[in-house]
Amino acid sequence: MGLWEHIVAGVLAVLLSEPLLGVPVVILMVSGGFLLGITVGATPGLAGPMAMAIALPILISIFGFSNDALLPVLGFLIGIMKGATVGGAVPAILFNTPGTPDAYMTTLDGYPMAQKGEAKRALRIAHFSSASGDTFSDIVLVVCAPFLAILVERYLDLPEKTALLILSLAFIASVIGGSVGKGIISMGLGLLAAMIATGEDFYPRLTMGQSNLAEGIPIAAAVLGVLILGEVFKALEDLHRQSGSNASPEITPGKGSALSRADLRRLFPYVGRSALIGTCIGALPGVGSTLAATLGYTTAKRRYIASKPDYAPDFGDGAAEGIAATEAANSSVSGANLIPVLSLGIPGNAAAVFLILAMDSIGGFNPGPSVFRLGGGIGDSVMNPEMVMVFGIFTSMFVANALNWTIGGIFMRSVGFMARIPKERLLPIVLLLTLTAIYVQETSMAAIWMTVFFGFLGYGMRRVGMSPLPFVIAFILGQNLEATARQAFAATGADPFFLFNSPIALAFILMSSGVVIYNLRKSAP
Amino acid sequence: MKAILKTFALTAALSIVSAAGAVADGTGWKPSGPIKMIIAFAAGGGADTQARLIADDIQAATGWEVIPEQVTGKGGVNALLALKDMPADGTAIAMVVTESLGYNAAAAGNAGIVPSDFAGLTTTAGFQMGVVAKADKGWSSFADTIAAAKEGNLRFGTMSPKLSDLAFLLGEAQGVEFNIVQVAGGKAVMNGVQAGDMDLGFMAGIQGKGVASGDLVNLASALSEPLVQTPDAPTLADLGVQFNADGYFVFVAPGGMDTAARDALTAAIVEAANNGKASAMIEKAFGGAVTIQGSELDALLQSDYEAASELMQAVQ
């Protein structure tokens, strides 16, 4: 079966999925996820990954572990991921409070515009830029992921694959967060946790005789504990310390003009440039949408100063270009960050972590180069079900884009009230939902205690200024790294220097040391 | 009047349901509560699907509530450890492979698992384990493979320590050395062979379609008998290895189980494997149901366990 048959089958898998309430279930799930994502994004204190984390175990308990479950579950998660970046701009513009961290730059021009009575216009610009960036990024994903996968398959043998994993971890540890040392410690802790009770030996190692650990640490317990509980604990403490709120007064969207063709033409170069920046950053593992937004904004600012007419507002005083540059950049991360996920199985940010977690829990889809192999390794006359699944995922992403262009803007302008929900109410709900979700998936109290333990670990890491993301990514890649390294060692006839014998592997290892040393020097005073 | 009719209809319906229940468990045995079915395989794979279908079939046929639960890892040893201390009253069973109670239990000596700790219920299906390579390697017989291995070490993919031992012995018997690459599961061996990370490997049935389409070749049977699909391929015994990879999916319960419970559960599983929704799946994925039960199964598990130590000594 050729590529075309796989594409058609993938599209049909979405469009002809079992109807629920008269709508194909995958499309329904993407829509549900998307609207939930906008709502969550518009709520300061909640973020896309949080909603994805809580939704995942609940979705799995509804859809089960069958192959039919993958697309509806992934569709919902992708919907949340995309909706949240759009929604993040709403409170940024109306309340001067970013709904998601990557919308911080949007407050700089969004809120001043709103103060001038142009709130609705600002929201429209944010939506237009966000949807454009997102669509662009998805197109790049569809074009690039298969080629990257084929390149990996053709040129990388087991030692090179090991070296590539080491390079990804080195990159993530040194780029995320302010300190290379803390990043590496965070990554090391993640690898240590991944070592517990895994490996090829029949004896469950590092469990200290605890039978609850014999199956290893449940991946959901570690990931949700560090990412979600850690955040909730820290936010609760922050609330406790803060007295009174210093929120800016709300501005209602009011009436405003639609964007004219001239507006769009003026904004287009800013959107385009930022979309390109966001896409490139998204494709690198570990560098998230916040950096993309910052880079998009600063690049646009430099451009703008050089070319702006005298009467136009400066960046920071309500320039439409500022909103456009930020929103296009942070939204274009979401498609591109699936490039390393699908072609290498390496997650680049928290949202990608939950997509991998979903694929891993449901089974039947193992992200990596084999996904893009025609015939699935069985024969040319046979469909590769994983490849069909990939095109189903791509189709879901474009369904989300279509929703974004059509109803996204309208829905976005109606969720401003979410920012008024007090965190004192919100955080305990998140805490309870997370623990419930863990119990639904693992059905054991031991898993709950482990989650709470990792929650305190995540809290501690945040307190000392250590990013928990390297921990999570290392935890997810840890087993893969160990298995690949073992296999490479065996395949080369027990050669201890397998990482240094091929030019590509050697280059990856040198780059790994290079990226650590470079970032160490940069952060040194 | 309406109310009376309603009551009557309800009573009639209830009595039919209870009568059907009584017919289903002909032996008269009934579990004292829900049956926990431990599955030693990762969620979503072929083995897991088989177990869950069997659970559905049992529930539909007998009305007993069956709750599947995953306990994976360590080649089924984790599942056996979890099962061992559960009540032997028919409310806990597990699906593993015979290798879990054989080689893996023997290799995990300090885990304290021996076949006599468990009551075997029935096997459900066997593996069509072959030594497989890609057709474009150009090897039409095992002798071609050995000739290639003499020119440079070949990479041999396996999916368990027992199979790694067999690959080692196979190389030794043929006077060559393989670089044995052990991965997690047959799918991973298939991917490795396809991607060129491995030159040949053990596959337990997953190769069927590829061999049929001519993309893969069964070079040898890893069983004591020839493969159904490639009857001409030599067996491991033909190639000078006195051990084989014969193996089955098997349901077990904690040892010391009451005979009535054991018989009723066995009958329910055998019925599902032969005639239920599971049977179609087993036919498609594993080439048909194989149900070895009772004393024959006990003997099989015991002899596998004993053969394991011999195999381990042979590779030392």
Side-chain angles (χ1 to χ4, degrees):
Chain A
M1 297 276 167
L3 185 62
W4 183 245
E5 280 90 344
H6 285 87
I7 297 177
V8 172
V11 173
L12 291 183
V14 171
L15 299 183
L16 300 182
S17 52
E18 193 77 12
L20 191 70
L21 308 172
V23 185
V25 65
V26 180
I27 295 183
L28 190 74
M29 294 305 288
V30 173
S31 322
F34 182 68
L35 297 182
L36 177 67
I38 294 184
T39 317
V40 165
T43 315
L46 289 185
M50 250 185 208
M52 291 169 85
I54 296 170
L56 178 59
I58 300 172
L59 290 172
I60 289 181
S61 71
I62 296 173
F63 286 95
F65 294 98
S66 73
N67 255 344
D68 303 336
L70 254 174
L71 278 180
V73 172
L74 286 177
F76 195 83
L77 298 183
I78 286 170
I80 296 180
M81 179 174 89
K82 287 179 174 289
T85 33
V86 183
V90 177
I93 291 169
L94 299 181
F95 293 87
N96 204 17
T97 314
T100 46
D102 54 23
Y104 170 70
M105 293 287 173
T106 309
T107 60
L108 300 183
D109 289 287
Y111 191 66
M113 261 185 96
Q115 281 176 315
K116 288 184 212 159
E118 292 184 320
K120 196 165 185 180
R121 205 171 117 81
L123 285 175
R124 278 182 198 277
I125 290 167
H127 173 249
F128 165 75
S129 322
S130 190
S132 312
D134 194 9
T135 310
F136 174 76
S137 176
D138 287 355
I139 294 171
V140 172
L141 162 72
V142 173
V143 174
C144 288
F147 286 107
L148 186 60
I150 290 167
L151 280 183
V152 166
E153 185 93 334
R154 186 160 304 164
Y155 295 108
L156 302 192
D157 191 11
L158 293 166
E160 288 87 352
K161 284 177 189 159
T162 314
L164 180 64
L165 283 170
I166 293 173
L167 173 61
S168 313
L169 286 176
F171 193 81
I172 289 165
S174 41
V175 171
I176 297 180
S179 149
V180 182
K182 285 174 184 168
I184 290 177
I185 293 174
S186 177
M187 181 194 75
L189 289 172
L191 286 177
L192 177 65
M195 292 299 130
I196 293 175
T198 50
E200 282 177 7
D201 214 348
F202 284 112
Y203 176 76
R205 66 185 173 193
L206 297 175
T207 56
M208 294 177 283
Q210 291 291 313
S211 58
N212 284 325
L213 287 175
E215 280 183 76
I217 294 167
I219 190 164
V223 172
L224 270 67
V226 168
L227 278 187
I228 313 295
L229 255 56
E231 180 65 35
V232 170
F233 291 157
K234 176 163 177 291
L236 284 173
E237 194 199 28
D238 289 346
L239 272 182
H240 183 69
R241 289 186 178 195
Q242 259 167 33
S243 49
S245 84
N246 47 1
S248 313
E250 182 198 352
I251 295 170
T252 46
K255 291 214 187 301
S257 53
L259 295 179
S260 70
R261 205 168 275 250
D263 284 335
L264 296 184
R265 206 172 307 133
R266 197 161 47 85
L267 292 177
F268 192 74
Y270 292 90
V271 172
R273 215 173 359 249
S274 278
L276 200 62
I277 292 174
T279 305
C280 293
I281 287 192
L284 294 174
V287 207
S289 45
T290 311
L291 180 68
T294 317
L295 265 182
Y297 186 84
T298 45
T299 315
K301 190 173 178 180
R302 224 173 295 135
R303 277 270 157 159
Y304 187 72
I305 292 172
S307 65
K308 109 183 160 73
D310 290 338
Y311 58 86
D314 280 325
F315 260 42
D317 291 335
E321 286 81 354
I323 302 178
T326 310
E327 286 300 312
N330 67 26
S331 299
S332 57
V333 168
S334 71
N337 82 45
L338 290 190
I339 297 176
V341 170
L342 293 176
S343 54
L344 307 171
I346 297 173
N349 62 16
V353 164
F354 290 107
L355 292 178
I356 292 223
L357 204 54
M359 298 169 187
D360 201 69
S361 321
I362 298 175
F365 184 85
N366 304 300
S370 65
V371 163
F372 291 96
R373 193 184 302 130
L374 281 174
I378 290 170
D380 288 338
S381 58
V382 188
M383 283 275 191
N384 175 357
E386 291 185 309
M387 191 152 156
V388 172
M389 205 62 82
V390 163
F391 286 111
I393 293 172
F394 289 164
T395 311
S396 315
M397 298 184 82
F398 284 105
V399 168
N401 281 329
L403 288 167
N404 198 353
W405 283 110
T406 49
I407 57 170
I410 304 162
F411 190 76
M412 178 182 173
R413 291 192 283 277
S414 67
V415 290
F417 69 92
M418 289 303 289
R420 254 177 275 147
I421 297 178
K423 278 192 179 174
E424 294 87 338
R425 307 259 165 80
L426 204 60
L427 292 172
I429 296 176
V430 170
L431 183 65
L432 198 64
L433 276 177
T434 309
L435 291 177
T436 314
I438 295 273
Y439 191 78
V440 165
Q441 187 168 338
E442 301 293 334
T443 56
S444 94
M445 273 317 281
I448 299 282
W449 295 124
M450 279 187 239
T451 313
V452 173
F453 170 82
F454 282 104
F456 284 118
L457 180 68
Y459 163 82
M461 289 165 92
R462 284 174 171 83
R463 268 283 157 255
V464 298
M466 187 188 285
S467 167
L469 205 53
F471 172 91
V472 171
I473 294 177
F475 182 77
I476 289 189
L477 291 182
Q479 277 196 51
N480 196 351
L481 175 66
E482 182 183 350
T484 318
R486 270 178 194 273
Q487 291 159 20
F489 180 66
T492 50
D495 174 4
F497 298 105
F498 67 89
L499 283 176
F500 308 99
N501 283 342
S502 95
I504 299 180
L506 185 63
F508 283 157
I509 293 297
L510 289 177
M511 280 157 74
S512 311
S513 341
V515 77
V516 172
I517 293 167
Y518 172 77
N519 281 289
L520 265 179
R521 290 200 158 191
K522 207 174 68 175
S523 60
Chain B
M1 187 63 197
K2 234 182 180 177
I4 297 174
L5 271 179
K6 249 189 186 167
T7 322
F8 179 74
L10 196 66
T11 323
L14 276 177
S15 58
I16 291 171
V17 169
S18 51
V23 172
D25 47 86
T27 53
W29 179 81
K30 238 189 222 161
S32 57
I35 301 173
K36 183 180 272 196
M37 180 192 281
I38 295 174
I39 302 173
F41 310 92
D48 173 58
T49 312
Q50 185 199 151
R52 283 172 191 272
L53 286 174
I54 290 177
D56 284 353
D57 286 336
I58 295 177
Q59 200 157 324
T62 61
W64 306 336
E65 191 186 352
V66 184
I67 303 172
E69 186 188 310
Q70 241 77 30
V71 180
T72 58
K74 309 291 165 218
V77 170
N78 280 344
L80 291 171
L81 278 174
L83 181 72
K84 194 178 157 190
D85 298 326
M86 287 187 179
D89 59 357
T91 56
I93 57 176
M95 188 174 101
V96 293
V97 282
T98 44
E99 195 178 317
S100 310
L101 268 169
Y103 187 99
N104 300 354
N110 50 5
I113 297 256
V114 285
S116 56
D117 289 341
F118 299 91
L121 301 175
T122 177
T123 63
T124 57
F127 311 127
Q128 282 292 308
M129 183 84 74
V131 178
V132 184
K134 256 170 111 171
D136 60 18
K137 288 270 177 201
W139 303 331
S140 55
S141 70
F142 201 76
D144 294 346
T145 312
I146 295 305
K150 283 190 171 141
E151 280 167 28
N153 285 3
L154 294 182
R155 295 180 183 179
F156 198 131
T158 71
M159 48 209 161
S160 72
K162 178 184 174 184
L163 292 174
S164 298
D165 287 358
L166 287 176
F168 174 78
L169 291 178
L170 183 58
E172 204 180 44
Q174 298 287 321
V176 294
E177 199 173 319
F178 293 119
N179 287 341
I180 297 162
V181 181
Q182 188 178 317
V183 296
K187 183 80 201 296
V189 175
M190 164 79 104
N191 279 339
V193 166
Q194 284 291 348
D197 290 345
M198 301 160 195
D199 298 296
L200 70 168
F202 283 118
M203 296 185 199
I206 192 174
Q207 77 275 31
K209 281 183 191 164
V211 172
S213 71
D215 293 305
L216 298 173
V217 191
N218 273 322
L219 295 167
S221 162
L223 308 175
S224 54
E225 291 169 357
L227 294 168
V228 176
Q229 196 174 19
T230 318
D232 297 338
T235 62
L236 284 186
D238 298 337
L239 296 169
V241 180
Q242 52 162 330
F243 300 92
N244 59 57
D246 286 1
Y248 306 90
F249 291 107
V250 64
F251 275 93
V252 294
M257 197 181 196
D258 170 47
T259 326
R262 189 174 168 177
D263 291 348
L265 282 168
T266 305
I269 299 167
V270 169
E271 173 63 19
N274 282 321
N275 299 312
K277 276 187 291 177
S279 76
M281 188 269 166
I282 290 175
E283 184 72 43
K284 209 174 102 190
F286 306 106
V290 179
T291 52
I292 304 170
Q293 317 155 32
S295 54
E296 200 187 338
L297 177 59
D298 288 341
L300 173 76
L301 294 176
Q302 193 58 43
S303 74
D304 264 17
Y305 183 75
E306 281 157 13
S309 354
E310 290 171 37
L311 174 56
M312 276 180 259
Q313 266 162 14
V315 292
Q316 298 271 301

